[in-house]
Amino acid sequence: MTISGLSIFRTNLRSFASFTATSQLPPLPACDFDAPPYRGPSYERVVELQKTRLTPNVTPYYRKPLLIHSGRMQWLFDHEGRKYLDMFGGIVTVSVGHCHPKVNAALADQMDTLWHTTNIYMHPKIHEYAERLTQTMPGKLNRVYFVNSGSEANDLAILLARLHTGNHEIISFRNAYHGASPLTMGITAHSTWRFPLPGVSNGIIHAMNPDPFLGHWGGKHCRDSLAQTIRDCNCTEKCCEATEKYYHELEQIFRFSLPRGRVAGMFAESIQGVGGTVQYPKGYIKKAAELVRLNGGVFISDEVQSGFGRTGDHFWGFQGHGIVPDIVTCAKGIGNGFPIGAVVTTEEIAQCLDKALHFNTFGGNPLASAVGIAVLDVIEEEELQKNSQIVGSVLIKGLLELQQKHEIIGDVRGKGLMIGVELVEDRATRKPLSTPHVVEIWEKCKDMGVLLGRGGLNGNVFRIKPPMCINTHDVEFTLQVLGHVLESRSA
């Protein structure tokens, strides 16, 4: 952290300590934007339409769902004009800020020029964007195929892995989330996201999740994070025993569950998102990638949530593991809320798509490409990767202070602005806090103006992944709100 970042952090800690001592409700940080008046259907009518016209799986957050109609940077506004600090970023999707003026302007300009032709004709934006995006990638990752979502990107990555290697089996982790399409549902390993359909798991193997908090092994030296678990371990800075033990379990899959020397590929989120911001033991991913390649496969990094500077120390999450993947999938933050996805790979792997026709009608359309270029511009010009590191460090350290005061916080983890807070009933057993108690805390944070996500198999992890434009005042407010809710709960 920079000297100025440390100074801000110390100032915020003094303010935070003062607040918790007085237990006053914190004021909302200033916002220089006034949302326009809401002119849509009544709240009651929207609730009725949600229940009678949308499929029943479309279920909004909160007991009384929010009706959001406007947003600006890190702020959202409901139909009554109340503002909320968005600490979830539209499910880790709004990377540079709601309705960022530069991104808005790029989209408006392209809308007035050309919406769509599909790629049967050349248009400049897809080519400009392909060059810009691949320039952020290391090694030979210089070929990109544009799609519209993370599920589409991971679908294509499975296809590429199988076509290129001639092998079939794909490995992913238990607790992983890679999409909910019929194909990606197989590599998603959460029972809550899987329908009882035949063939979903065809050729898919789920490896033991190398989780230093909930897994069999791991402790206070294992994660690449300012925040470590409170579990004891014998690991050192140079040798992680948990890595070796989890790697041994992965080797057993290659010994017993695969054709000898034959695997198509392995998927890994650089930091698990939906699963609750789970980080792996240091060095594990690098060893796993080497094992996969030794057995004829490719290693696929799912950067849908951890890419574009969010982890702070690198632009791509996989760089924190010291690897260059064979395939990278992107979505969410790539478009700041506009539907864009991408698969980036090497020229050699990309060649396998010549074996048959393959086409995506909207992938890389002029509107999406213009937005994607603008997002990259804003990340660079506003130094949002650096902001993620500095502001995220302040937030993580503040959450660790809260953990010391409240036994209910079992674990704090993450990097940059990709952070998880796991709530437990008992720290020793790591038993998850029951859903009614988690929801009570979550609802009260919303009532005080802070929107948090929830994740993990048991829904007991607060997912804190805001737009990367947030500042230390927003962090201080978030810590104050969470501290106030936990104080009032234990009083």
Side-chain angles (χ1 to χ4, degrees), residues 157-159 161-162 165-173 182-188 194 197-207 253-254 257-259 262-267 300:
I158 293 172
L159 177 67
R162 287 173 168 167
T165 65
N167 301 329
H168 186 67
E169 276 77 14
I170 299 283
I171 300 171
S172 67
F173 289 129
L183 188 56
T184 58
M185 193 185 303
I187 54 173
T188 290
R194 292 168 67 89
L197 299 174
V200 165
S201 296
N202 180 27
I204 306 296
I205 300 171
H206 297 141
I253 289 177
F254 286 83
S257 302
L258 291 168
R262 299 196 64 175
V263 66
M266 181 174 182
F267 273 81
I300 303 151

Side-chain angles (χ1 to χ4, degrees), residues 28-31 71-77 83-85 98 474:
L28 283 162
C31 173
R72 184 57 54 101
M73 303 307 286
Q74 62 266 52
W75 296 99
L76 290 172
F77 301 84
K83 69 176 183 178
Y84 300 86
L85 179 60
H98 294 281
D474 303 320

Side-chain angles (χ1 to χ4, degrees), residues 337-377:
F338 198 92
I340 315 175
V343 179
V344 185
T345 189
T346 65
E347 181 175 359
E348 180 186 5
I349 295 173
Q351 287 294 331
C352 68
L353 287 178
D354 279 347
K355 295 179 180 179
L357 292 175
H358 193 280
F359 187 71
N360 189 301
T361 300
F362 297 106
N365 68 76
L367 297 176
S369 297
V371 167
I373 292 169
V375 168
L376 292 177
D377 287 341

